[in-house]
Amino acid sequence: MATLPDDSAVAWPAVAAQIHASGRQMVLAVTGGGTGAVSALLQTPGASRTMLEAVVPYAHAALVDWIGAVPEQACSAATARAMAMASYMRARGLAPAADPRSLLGVGATASLATDRPKLGGRRIHVAWQSAEQTWVESYCLADITPNRADDERASTSFLLWIIAGACGVKDAKLYQSLPTSRQDELLQVNGGRGEFPQQDLLMGKRRFAVLKAESSFNYFPESDSPAVGIVFPGAFNPPHAGHLRMMEIAEQRVKAPAAWELSITNVDKLPLDFMSMKERITAIRASDDKRLVALTRAPTFREKSELFPRATFVVGIDTLARIAEPRYYDGDEVRRDAAISEIASQGCRFLAFGRMIEGEFTVLSDLNLPPALAAICDEVSAGEFREDVSSTELRSALVDS
């Protein structure tokens, strides 16, 4: 087992000072360990130039509140990324006049030595999100003798080192304060820069970007985006054979150019980060490299109808039922009816595919929809299409395996 140098904390103030001089402003969220980084940053002169906010969502409920969802695993790279995106969006809100490219969101989640039995190894995952990049690094503490104080010091050094790198600061002394016996083996790094259209989408500088067929990175200029007659919105996490069959049936019915649509924003979820965008696009392209893919900032169908006038939207019956539910409009039926009216005024329609709801396969004719919504819907019968597997079930199967 490796041990930490006794002076491992000596480098912290100097690194914090360099971070404060970097010109970055950040929100930092830390849970499970590494909170010494918060102290080091706030206790070093110049913190007001850099630190917009630091939060410690330690309880599970606090973490859920911070990221807006229940994480599949509290201490994971995916959760660190979600925390970083939540931090970045918070930074945008706290510093609306700042250049979005100067802002940074950092999330860290750790599982350290404790007095309770643990599931999984001792580790820390640190992610940062900017207007241009998504980055995550994971460090296994297996080489450190299980001791809470040493785990905290290692996690603090690791977290400060990652923040420094995000701010363009490279500090060899801080890196050397980590145990080094198997560092290459114990460190995992992942991340990347978003394509320019993706960056503009995240910053709200454009509302949509259409990816050319047979490409995972080549977008049409916004002013030259092709007209699309069929739009299939979804998370596609992951896409499956049912999605492809739905698109094929829609093309047979409507006889128009079709596109997958992935909204990077959601009414009640965090925006997709650049790694998630790449993962979703790669998955779609693995099953279909012929059709267009549209990335948008259109979480609602009213907004989608503005981007794709006269389009037919391919939807599952559960999605159509949500469009009709007043609770998705703060319980206001007038607002719901106004949204449906706007969709209709754009010349848009819905092609509704059946799905399992509460143990029964449900189709359009089984629903009691507002007349204005029913008037712009067309049914795909169970005889034409039935696919009981969902993306959620496929993800669960992957996790269980």
Side-chain angles (χ1 to χ4, degrees):
M1 290 281 182
T3 59
L4 287 174
D6 291 337
D7 62 348
S8 61
V10 171
W12 297 350
V15 173
Q18 293 179 74
I19 291 171
H20 294 332
S22 69
R24 290 281 201 175
Q25 290 181 288
M26 78 179 77
V27 170
L28 170 61
V30 182
T31 187
T35 53
V38 177
S39 298
L41 288 166
L42 294 179
Q43 292 174 5
T44 301
S48 61
R49 293 195 300 269
T50 304
M51 300 303 296
L52 294 170
E53 186 175 50
V55 298
V56 184
Y58 208 79
H60 183 73
L63 178 59
V64 170
D65 185 66
W66 183 251
I67 65 176
V70 177
E72 291 184 359
Q73 187 176 5
C75 185
S76 68
T79 299
R81 284 165 51 188
M83 294 174 70
M85 178 58 81
S87 296
Y88 178 73
M89 298 307 293
R90 177 68 172 164
R92 293 282 303 272
L94 292 174
D99 181 349
R101 298 180 190 277
S102 72
L103 301 177
L104 194 66
V106 181
T109 176
S111 179
L112 308 184
T114 182
D115 58 1
R116 301 187 308 276
K118 296 184 67 64
L119 294 175
R122 292 154 38 245
R123 62 205 184 276
I124 180 170
H125 306 276
V126 180
W128 58 268
Q129 178 68 47
S130 72
E132 300 169 318
Q133 294 188 70
T134 302
W135 199 263
V136 62
E137 302 197 29
S138 303
Y139 188 63
C140 176
L141 301 171
D143 259 18
I144 303 174
T145 301
N147 176 282
R148 182 72 182 206
D150 282 350
D151 280 5
E152 285 283 4
R153 278 194 293 160
S155 297
T156 293
S157 289
F158 184 67
L159 177 50
L160 285 172
W161 177 55
I162 301 302
I163 294 173
C167 293
V169 175
K170 300 296 182 183
D171 192 278
K173 186 174 182 180
L174 184 64
Y175 185 76
Q176 291 165 0
S177 73
L178 298 171
T180 57
S181 61
R182 291 191 295 137
Q183 204 159 77
D184 291 342
E185 183 180 333
L186 298 175
L187 184 66
Q188 295 182 349
V189 181
N190 201 356
R193 182 178 295 271
E195 305 290 341
F196 286 118
Q198 296 173 353
Q199 295 178 23
D200 287 346
L201 279 167
L202 182 62
M203 289 187 288
K205 291 185 176 181
R206 64 190 296 175
R207 298 181 65 193
F208 70 99
V210 180
L211 190 62
K212 294 182 179 180
E214 301 182 1
S215 173
S216 297
F217 57 87
N218 193 3
Y219 292 85
F220 287 96
E222 190 168 11
S223 59
D224 194 32
S225 295
V228 177
I230 300 169
V231 178
F232 191 171
F236 307 116
N237 185 28
H240 53 72
H243 292 139
L244 288 170
R245 182 60 185 146
M246 290 166 72
M247 189 69 99
E248 291 167 357
I249 292 172
E251 288 172 328
Q252 293 167 6
R253 286 275 197 103
V254 181
K255 301 188 185 320
W260 308 96
E261 188 253 345
L262 181 64
S263 178
I264 72 159
T265 56
N266 190 289
V267 173
D268 53 4
K269 295 181 182 178
L270 291 169
L272 296 181
D273 63 28
F274 298 126
M275 288 177 64
S276 294
M277 293 183 206
K278 181 178 179 180
E279 290 162 1
R280 305 287 176 87
I281 290 170
T282 299
I284 291 172
R285 280 287 174 252
S287 58
D288 177 14
D289 65 354
K290 301 301 183 185
R291 298 181 180 90
L292 304 174
V293 178
L295 298 184
T296 75
R297 288 182 59 89
T300 69
F301 279 95
R302 179 187 59 77
E303 293 166 291
K304 296 181 199 299
S305 70
E306 293 175 356
L307 297 181
F308 306 105
R310 297 175 297 282
T312 294
F313 293 112
V314 176
V315 295
I317 205 70
D318 53 335
T319 298
L320 197 59
R322 287 195 294 271
I323 295 172
E325 279 286 339
R327 64 191 176 97
Y328 290 102
Y329 308 85
D330 296 327
D332 190 337
E333 291 188 7
V334 174
R335 282 185 55 198
R336 177 203 63 188
D337 294 344
I340 293 170
S341 178
E342 289 184 44
I343 295 169
S345 71
Q346 295 288 351
C348 294
R349 298 188 64 83
F350 294 98
L351 185 60
F353 288 75
R355 286 201 63 177
M356 293 293 293
I357 298 179
E358 297 181 354
E360 294 187 7
F361 193 78
T362 305
V363 295
L364 177 63
S365 54
D366 296 321
L367 297 183
N368 183 21
L369 299 176
L373 179 56
I376 56 173
C377 293
D378 297 299
E379 178 178 285
V380 176
S381 69
E384 292 176 89
F385 173 87
R386 176 162 180 169
E387 176 64 64
D388 294 345
V389 176
S390 70
S391 294
T392 301
E393 291 169 343
L394 290 174
R395 284 200 310 278
S396 297
L398 289 172
V399 171
D400 293 341
S401 65

